[in-house]
Every structure is written in C-alpha cells, then in structure tokens.
C-alpha cells in the first residue's frame, strides 16, 4: 500500500477537476463504458476479491460475498447502464407563458468522494459509483483500513481498468480518512457510523460540500399478534445471521407482543437447527471483522447481563458460544432488554438481538417514535390497516412488511436514511439524480414578453396587476 499525504490527496483532486473541465461533460457512451468497465472489474476478478475479503474477515462466507458484493453490485451497475439514455433526457416543463421554452437538464457535479465501509467493501464502493458514473462524474474512493487486503487489491484493479482522471483509490488510516473528508469535493458520500458521520459532515461543511450519509442506526422489528411467529423469527434471524449481523440494515432490536413470548425460543432454535446446525466450523457463517469489534460485542453481553437481561446463546449443544481466535460468535438473544443497557444505546453490528417486551401495537409505535429515526423498520403482521399505520406513523429510511432488508436489492427504490440514520438516497435513478445538478434552462420567446413586463414605466402595468389581485 502506497502512503499518501493530505497534500497528495489535494493534488489528485485538483488534477481530476482540471481533467474534467478540459474534457467537458461525459457523453452517454463514456458513462456507459465506465459502468460496464466496473462490471468487468468485478466479474473478471470476483474470486480474487472474495478471497481477499475472506482473509480480511478471518473468514467470510463465500456465498454471501459473491451474492452481495459481486452479483447485487453488478446488477445495479447494469441497471444504470441499461436505463442511462432515458435518465439523461432533458425534462421539458411548462413555462407558464406563451413562446418560452423551459426544461431541466441533469448536469454532472464534478468529482465525488466516496468513503466506503468494511462490511461489504465492493457493494458499498461500487453501489454509489453506479450513480456517480451514470451522472457523468468521476470519483475518488477511500475504502476502509479494516479490510487492507481488499483495499490493496481494489487499488490495483482500479488502476488497471480506469485512467487516473476517472477513478482513484486512496488508502490510509483514520488520519487519511479525516483529510479525505475535508477535501473540496463536488459531493461526498459516507457510509458508516452515526458518530463518524457527524465528523464527516462537519469537515465537509468547511468547503460547503454536499453530503450523502448512510449511517445505519437501530432498525426495529415489530412482530404483531397476528403474525406467524416461526416465519417472522426465521426471516429476522436470516438477516441477523447473514454476515454475522454486520449489516447496516440488520435488525437491531425486536419488539415482541405478549402472545408470542412463550414461543420465541422454540422458533429461534428451530431456525438455527434448520439453517446452520453449527457456527464455529461452518463455512456459511462469517467471522467478526476485528478483535476490537469482537471484544466490543462481548462487552455488550456482559453489560446486558449485569443490568438484568437474560442472554440466550443459539449455539448448538456442546459448541462454544464464541471463539476469540477465529472471531466467530453465535447469534444471541438478549431477553428483557432495557434502554439503560449499552446494547440498546448503540448500533450493534453483530449477531446479538435484544428482545423487548411491548404490550401492543400502539406502544410499539410510541417506542419507535421516541428514539432516533432508523435506516429501516420492519413489521410482521397481516392486518392491512396496521401495515399502513406502521408505514405512515413511523419515520425511517424504508419500511419492509413481513420481511427484512428486501428493499435494498430493488434498484428502482431509493436507498438511504433519515435523521440520525443519514441523509440522501441512491440506487437506480435516485443515484443518478443524487449525483447530478438539476439545472433549469429557459429560452426566451422572440417577443421577450416576460422581460418586457418588468421594464419601466409601470403605470399601465400597475393597473393590470391590481386588477389581477382583485380576482385571486
């Protein structure tokens, strides 16, 4: 890994801005070519990338990597390439006056900075890039220092598939990350924690750089009285176990009504028995990214027990609940969680699921609304009126009914948070618009009527405007 200084970063950015100004707006053909080169980079090197990611994790499920980091990302890039022609067409609007032409043109912003996280290092780098390239921009990418092998390989591959004025990978620790977020980009995308997101936004504000922040937060699951408990628990734990819960959209706590309390453990153990059977030696189950994150998760369990929670490991009989050497941790239920526990005060990002007692639907809505707005909210129940109420009466980046995280793979939907879970959204056309400037373009009529009405003297016009105001 080459060491880059803050001055190096400024020089790279300025060179990219100069190149873009000299070249002019990217054509449809060039934008599509950049999108398809991104596809080729991932497709032609998918195994090497998967191996690097697994090495960074100590172990990462190859299926999960190939599905989310490779296939889902490729489909998003291909979707943008396929629809780019229609997205780029100017939108003709009514000018409200005869003879005047008015339209909206989507103009590239310039050079976009992307700070991508470690949990899905390809998807969360090239996911935003789909919109960035589609909009005609170029980009500087700062991947996480927690996945050094993946970042090294990504830097090598990007240099092979892209010219330095199109896409550059910047590597370094937290100090380089801080310098990166302070650069005068034309837009900055950050995916990570709410705490770090505040620092990123503060640094970007010094240069009035607009930001897109995807921050996660605590995404709730409500299992209502009429839900099928076995199905709801299976679908919830599917995502809680996927990547060992290290997903911004992972369920962060479960609200359970009285009807389902007695059946919770049986439903959870039934899911585990049918899907994993074991965790420590299972190639389908991923490790925790670092010793520090492993220790943090263990600390959350210690704190919860000390404050009255009952912690239930879902490991198989005779299997270790957690292994600090291999950094694998079985899913755990934390029963009777309360707000004074650390596990309910921060995003978990691991295979721990707090379960809170809630008397019913209305109390669940009150609880969700009394806390910071999550990236997603999940409701299990079949009554249509309650489904609609859950969607309309809570505020979150997305709502999914009777499933978890499904929306993230639908390219026609915006992906992003609100409030503490972020700002701005991308995916599909929403990414194209996020990384474009909607420029108003007006062509005056031959007689210049709208201009002439502003000229002095105004005596005749005064009579007309007074008459109009009398009729409104």
């Amino acid at each position: 890994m080459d060491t880059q200084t803050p001055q190096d970063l400024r020089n790279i950015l300025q060179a990219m801005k100069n190149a873009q100004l000299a070249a002019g707006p990217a054509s449809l053909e060039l934008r599509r070519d950049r999108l398809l080169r991104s596809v080729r980079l991932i497709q032609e090197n998918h195994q090497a990338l998967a191996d690097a990611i697994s090495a960074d994790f100590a172990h990462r499920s190859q299926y999960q990597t190939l599905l989310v980091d490779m296939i889902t990302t490729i489909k998003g890039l291909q979707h943008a390439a396929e629809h780019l022609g229609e997205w780029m067409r100017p939108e003709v609007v009514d000018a409200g006056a005869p003879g005047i032409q008015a339209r909206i043109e989507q103009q590239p912003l310039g050079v976009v900075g992307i700070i991508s996280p470690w949990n899905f290092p390809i998807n969360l780098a090239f996911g935003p890039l789909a919109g960035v390239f589609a909009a005609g921009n170029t980009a500087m990418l700062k991947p996480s220092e927690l996945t050094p092998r993946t970042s090294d390989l990504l830097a090598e591959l990007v240099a092979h598939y892209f010219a330095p004025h199109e896409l550059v990978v910047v590597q370094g620790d937290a100090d380089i990350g801080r310098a990166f977020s302070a650069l005068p980009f034309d837009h900055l995308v950050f995916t990570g924690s709410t705490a770090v997101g505040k620092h990123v936004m503060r640094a970007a504000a010094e240069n009035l750089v607009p930001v897109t922040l995807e921050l996660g937060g605590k995404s709730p699951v409500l299992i209502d009285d009429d839900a099928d408990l076995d199905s709801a628990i299976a679908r919830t734990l599917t995502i809680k176990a996927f990547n060992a819960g290290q997903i911004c959209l992972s369920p962060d706590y479960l609200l359970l009504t009285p009807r389902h309390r007695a059946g919770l453990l049986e439903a959870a153990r039934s899911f585990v028995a049918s899907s994993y059977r074991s965790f420590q030696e299972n190639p389908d189950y991923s490790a925790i990214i670092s010793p520090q994150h492993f220790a943090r998760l263990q600390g959350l369990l210690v704190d919860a027990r000390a404050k009255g929670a009952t912690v239930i490991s879902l490991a198989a009989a005779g299997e270790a609940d957690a292994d600090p050497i291999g950094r694998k941790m079985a899913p755990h239920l934390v029963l009777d969680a309360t707000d004074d526990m650390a596990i309910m005060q921060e995003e978990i990002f691991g295979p721990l699921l707090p379960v809170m007692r809630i008397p019913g639907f209305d109390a669940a809505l009150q609880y969700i609304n009394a806390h910071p707005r999550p990236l997603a909210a999940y409701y299990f129940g079949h009554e249509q009126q309650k489904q609609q109420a859950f969607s309309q009466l809570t505020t979150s980046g997305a709502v999914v009914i009777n499933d978890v995280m499904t929306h993230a793979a639908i390219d026609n939907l915006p992906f992003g948070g609100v409030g503490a879970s972020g700002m701005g959204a991308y995916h599909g056309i929403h990414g194209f618009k996020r990384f474009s400037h909607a420029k108003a373009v007006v062509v005056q009529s031959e007689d210049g009527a709208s201009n002439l009405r502003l000229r002095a003297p105004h005596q005749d016009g005064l009579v007309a405007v007074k008459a109009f105001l009398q009729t409104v």
Side-chain angles (χ1 to χ4, degrees):
M1 180 179 70
D2 295 331
T3 301
Q4 293 163 311
T5 67
Q7 185 58 51
D8 292 333
L9 304 190
R10 290 190 288 271
N11 293 341
I12 292 169
L13 176 58
Q14 190 57 57
M16 295 183 77
K17 287 189 172 187
N18 292 342
Q20 190 167 65
L21 287 171
S27 65
L28 167 63
E29 292 73 22
L30 178 56
R31 300 181 193 199
R32 186 173 286 147
D33 176 60
R34 288 170 176 166
L35 291 165
L36 297 180
R37 268 186 278 155
S38 300
V39 169
R40 292 202 309 275
L41 183 155
I42 297 169
Q43 189 276 325
E44 292 171 359
N45 302 280
H46 67 272
Q47 192 58 60
L49 287 165
D51 290 344
I53 293 171
S54 188
D56 282 329
F57 269 74
H59 173 74
R60 167 80 173 268
S61 163
Q62 183 161 147
Y63 174 81
Q64 293 175 10
T65 295
L66 296 180
L67 178 65
V68 177
D69 272 300
M70 312 303 168
I71 292 175
T72 301
T73 309
I74 285 173
K75 287 184 176 180
L77 291 160
Q78 290 175 330
H79 177 84
E82 179 182 352
H83 294 278
L84 185 54
E86 63 187 86
W87 295 349
M88 289 179 64
R89 293 191 194 109
E91 178 187 355
V92 177
V93 299
D94 183 7
I100 296 180
Q101 301 173 34
R103 64 182 182 272
I104 302 169
E105 295 181 356
Q106 300 293 343
Q107 184 177 46
L109 294 175
V111 183
V112 177
I114 300 173
I115 303 175
S116 60
W118 50 264
N119 58 327
F120 293 105
I122 306 304
N123 180 281
L124 293 172
F126 282 89
L129 270 172
V132 169
F133 281 156
N137 305 293
T138 56
M140 290 176 66
L141 171 65
K142 168 63 176 72
S144 173
E145 63 272 21
L146 293 182
T147 49
R149 298 170 184 85
T150 307
S151 298
D152 283 347
L153 179 56
L154 196 55
E156 178 185 332
L157 293 174
V158 163
H160 178 71
Y161 284 81
F162 292 93
H165 65 271
E166 294 179 303
L167 177 62
V168 171
V169 175
V170 170
Q171 297 189 74
D173 57 12
D175 288 337
I176 288 296
R178 282 188 285 270
F180 189 93
S181 63
L183 293 173
F185 291 111
D186 298 297
H187 196 99
L188 179 60
V189 184
F190 170 78
T191 304
S193 71
T194 300
V196 177
K198 292 177 181 179
H199 294 294
V200 169
M201 189 172 182
R202 196 174 294 117
E206 289 298 315
N207 293 302
L208 294 180
V209 175
V211 294
T212 295
L213 304 177
E214 193 274 276
L215 304 177
K218 298 191 74 64
S219 295
V221 177
L222 170 58
I223 301 180
D224 212 346
D225 285 339
D226 66 335
D228 180 278
L229 181 63
D230 289 336
S231 174
I233 291 298
R235 294 177 188 183
T236 299
L237 289 180
T238 292
I239 306 305
K240 197 61 178 174
F242 198 93
N243 204 35
Q246 297 167 108
I247 311 173
C248 58
L249 289 164
S250 181
D252 225 66
Y253 63 95
L254 173 62
L255 299 172
L256 200 64
T257 58
R259 177 180 177 183
H260 294 307
R261 287 174 191 159
L264 172 63
L265 290 182
E266 182 180 351
R269 287 177 170 142
S270 175
F271 163 78
V272 168
S274 65
S275 296
Y276 285 97
R277 302 183 185 275
S278 69
F279 292 99
Q280 296 301 331
E281 302 300 326
N282 193 331
D284 288 336
Y285 194 69
S286 298
I288 304 303
I289 185 64
S290 71
Q292 293 77 16
H293 281 267
F294 185 92
R296 178 184 62 82
L297 292 169
Q298 290 292 309
L300 293 179
L301 294 181
V302 171
D303 175 80
R305 284 192 187 97
K307 293 174 179 174
T310 301
V311 176
I312 305 293
S313 169
L314 297 180
E319 182 183 36
D321 298 330
D323 173 22
I325 304 301
R327 299 204 303 271
K328 282 193 174 183
M329 181 184 297
H332 288 66
L333 300 178
V334 180
L335 306 181
D336 299 322
T338 55
D339 279 348
D340 65 327
M341 298 174 185
I343 200 168
M344 290 302 298
Q345 296 170 7
E346 61 185 68
E347 186 176 6
I348 297 169
F349 235 71
L352 315 179
L353 183 61
V355 181
M356 302 191 74
R357 297 175 180 270
I358 205 80
F361 181 80
D362 292 338
L365 294 191
Q366 290 173 9
Y367 183 85
I368 294 170
N369 287 331
H371 291 79
R373 293 170 172 175
L375 186 58
Y378 306 117
Y379 175 76
F380 287 88
H382 298 290
E383 187 178 324
Q384 192 169 14
Q385 187 175 0
K386 282 189 172 182
Q387 293 177 357
Q388 188 173 17
F390 186 85
S391 178
Q392 293 181 347
L393 299 180
T394 62
T395 302
S396 57
V399 163
V400 180
I401 306 296
N402 291 324
D403 206 1
V404 176
M405 205 173 77
T406 319
H407 66 290
I410 301 174
D411 285 311
N412 289 317
L413 290 176
F415 172 71
V418 59
S421 61
M423 62 181 67
Y426 58 95
H427 281 194
I429 191 172
H430 309 284
F432 172 81
K433 289 185 175 181
R434 170 63 49 186
F435 305 121
S436 298
H437 166 56
K439 176 180 280 188
V441 178
V442 174
V443 180
Q444 179 61 275
S445 61
E446 288 294 331
D447 61 5
S450 63
N451 179 273
L452 292 173
R453 70 184 182 186
L454 303 179
R455 295 182 189 176
H458 296 307
Q459 283 75 15
D460 292 341
L462 184 60
V463 173
V465 296
K466 285 186 175 181
F468 174 82
L469 291 171
Q470 293 297 323
T471 62
V472 174

